Amino acid sequence: MKRAMCAKLCALLLFLSACGTQTENNSATIFAMDTQMELTAYGSGADEAVRAATQEINRLDALLSAQREGSFIYQLNHAQGEPVSRDTDVGETLLLPVIQLCEDTGGALDITVYPAVEAWGFPSGSYRVPEAAELDALREKVDYREVSVDVAEGSSTTVTLPQNMSIDLGAVGKGYAADRVVELWKDMGVTSGLLNLGGNVQCLGGKPDGSDWTVAIRHPEDQGRYLATVTGRDMAVVTSGAYQRNFELDGVIYHHILDPATCMPADSGLTSVTIVAESGLLADGLSTAVYVMGPDRAGELWRERRDFDMVLYTEDGTLWYTPGLAGRFAPAEGLTAQVLE
Ligand code: AMP
Ligand code: MG
């Protein structure tokens, strides 16, 4: 599991060296949401900003983790069909938007895929390949439309889940956490900051010297190389790839992004998906969904929505990017890229 986390951490390399100025800053490296995270804030309130961000991420981890006993999600997954309530706004700010995203992606994103994620052994590290009959039974337990979310005044959330079903916010939790930290930092008056939550990169404003951030996307087949860079400000750059968490059995590599329709690792012809959007939650949810959907369905989704950009890398080595990235996207040396229109 540790190795996979490191791989995830290296998913995106940040080019920070060009910052140049001696702006006051503070950074912290923390471990939360099953991954290593780096938080950096610039300006006079940087120390307090990093402290508050650490606290917020730890709070969300304790609330949303599927594995931590006592978390809202853990309780829900063990409630045997009974409703579970918490004094929290995650119903409104996270669960309802994510269920909508499950719908918008035709179920390629499905937060109820957790029984299958567990059956493959990803949370525990006790990896195994479920047999066909077990996969048939697992498919019966996956359907985001069965999750009922009630949002009451005063920021309380009640969720009901049918017995035998369980949910996992692993595909969206880091993106959501990054959005919350950015909101918090804006409220605190921070104008420049950078989050790398295990490969989910999110920038607040531009660099402290006023220029844009440059984020490099890791090459999925080689940790030491990158595919391309994206520059910008106030953006989330989130990558999903099979290399981030997987195991090998009898010469076959099985990875952690499951196609909810089969409960098998997605096999859509993509090896890396990067979503660039203002919202970390949207970018995180879509990176997982698009990995499942494959290039053709992803292109259709992009043409319908146009509220995100993406960089796709296929098994046959084709690099695609959407036109919204024109002028701020550069393929690595030796690679050529095609515009997806
Ligand atoms: P990400 O790294 O953001 O692509 O999210 C992958 C994680 O989300 C996995 O480790 C699982 O916990 C969970 N997951 C896997 N497949 C899906 C899916 N199709 N929909 C929702 N969550 C998923
Ligand atoms: Mg994701």
Side-chain angles (χ1 to χ4, degrees):
M1 195 73 107
K2 270 246 160 64
R3 197 162 39 93
M5 285 166 206
C6 284
K8 180 97 185 178
L9 182 68
C10 297
L12 295 163
L13 312 166
L14 296 170
F15 293 156
L16 297 171
S17 52
C19 281
T21 54
Q22 288 298 309
T23 312
E24 212 175 305
N25 70 78
N26 189 18
S27 286
T29 301
I30 63 169
F31 190 86
M33 298 186 167
D34 209 18
T35 194
Q36 192 166 316
M37 302 182 165
E38 281 153 31
L39 328 171
T40 307
Y42 297 86
S44 56
D47 291 358
E48 184 50 31
V50 167
R51 244 194 319 274
T54 303
Q55 235 173 39
E56 176 64 356
I57 290 170
N58 286 331
R59 181 186 76 82
L60 292 172
D61 195 9
L63 187 69
L64 303 175
S65 162
Q67 284 131 274
R68 286 172 65 167
E69 280 186 41
S71 82
F72 187 22
I73 301 303
Y74 184 94
Q75 279 192 342
L76 183 62
N77 288 347
H78 293 83
Q80 312 288 347
E82 292 298 317
V84 177
S85 296
R86 277 278 174 117
D87 192 11
T88 167
D89 67 354
V90 294
E92 191 171 1
T93 58
L94 173 62
L95 295 172
L96 289 175
V98 168
I99 289 169
Q100 184 61 50
L101 205 52
C102 294
E103 179 74 21
D104 294 350
T105 58
L109 181 74
D110 193 322
I111 54 170
T112 64
V113 80
Y114 196 53
V117 173
E118 277 193 303
W120 285 89
F122 285 105
S124 62
S126 303
Y127 301 121
R128 57 189 280 278
V129 178
E131 288 184 7
E134 189 179 350
L135 290 169
D136 288 343
L138 285 166
R139 279 194 292 274
E140 297 293 312
K141 299 179 179 186
V142 178
D143 187 352
Y144 65 90
R145 288 166 296 202
E146 297 280 347
V147 185
S148 143
V149 180
D150 241 355
V151 174
E153 264 180 79
S155 295
S156 142
T157 302
T158 303
V159 187
T160 316
L161 200 60
Q163 226 170 351
N164 299 324
M165 284 181 65
S166 51
I167 71 176
D168 165 23
L169 299 170
V172 289
K174 294 194 289 292
Y176 176 70
D179 284 342
R180 295 299 290 240
V181 169
V182 163
E183 236 174 79
L184 196 71
W185 282 358
K186 281 182 180 167
D187 287 348
M188 296 173 82
V190 178
T191 54
S192 173
L194 185 70
L195 301 166
N196 182 356
L197 310 188
N200 278 48
V201 174
Q202 196 145 335
C203 326
L204 164 60
K207 288 201 285 197
D209 67 2
S211 61
D212 284 350
W213 301 100
T214 301
V215 179
I217 301 166
R218 200 207 107 151
H219 197 297
E221 287 143 30
D222 183 350
Q223 188 167 318
R225 288 171 63 200
Y226 67 99
L227 276 181
T229 58
V230 174
T231 53
R233 53 183 61 228
D234 288 314
M235 63 175 180
V237 183
V238 179
T239 299
S240 285
Y243 61 87
Q244 292 170 342
R245 194 161 292 188
N246 59 51
F247 67 95
E248 190 176 334
L249 194 74
D250 299 330
V252 182
I253 293 173
Y254 299 95
H255 65 81
H256 69 137
I257 302 173
L258 303 184
D259 182 344
T262 61
C263 289
M264 299 271 295
D267 184 17
S268 69
L270 292 171
T271 56
S272 173
V273 172
T274 299
I275 305 290
V276 184
E278 207 177 313
S279 152
L281 176 59
L282 181 69
D284 202 356
L286 284 182
S287 71
T288 311
V290 164
Y291 198 92
V292 171
M293 295 168 91
D296 294 342
R297 280 175 70 198
E300 281 167 30
L301 184 73
W302 176 77
R303 275 177 227 107
E304 271 166 32
R305 298 181 60 111
R306 296 187 188 253
D307 59 350
F308 66 95
D309 277 293
M310 60 186 176
V311 179
L312 308 178
Y313 193 65
T314 64
E315 267 166 10
D316 63 8
T318 311
L319 183 62
W320 294 96
Y321 70 100
T322 47
L325 295 175
R328 56 196 195 102
F329 170 86
E333 211 179 304
L335 287 175
T336 51
Q338 306 194 30
V339 185
L340 195 152
E341 285 184 294

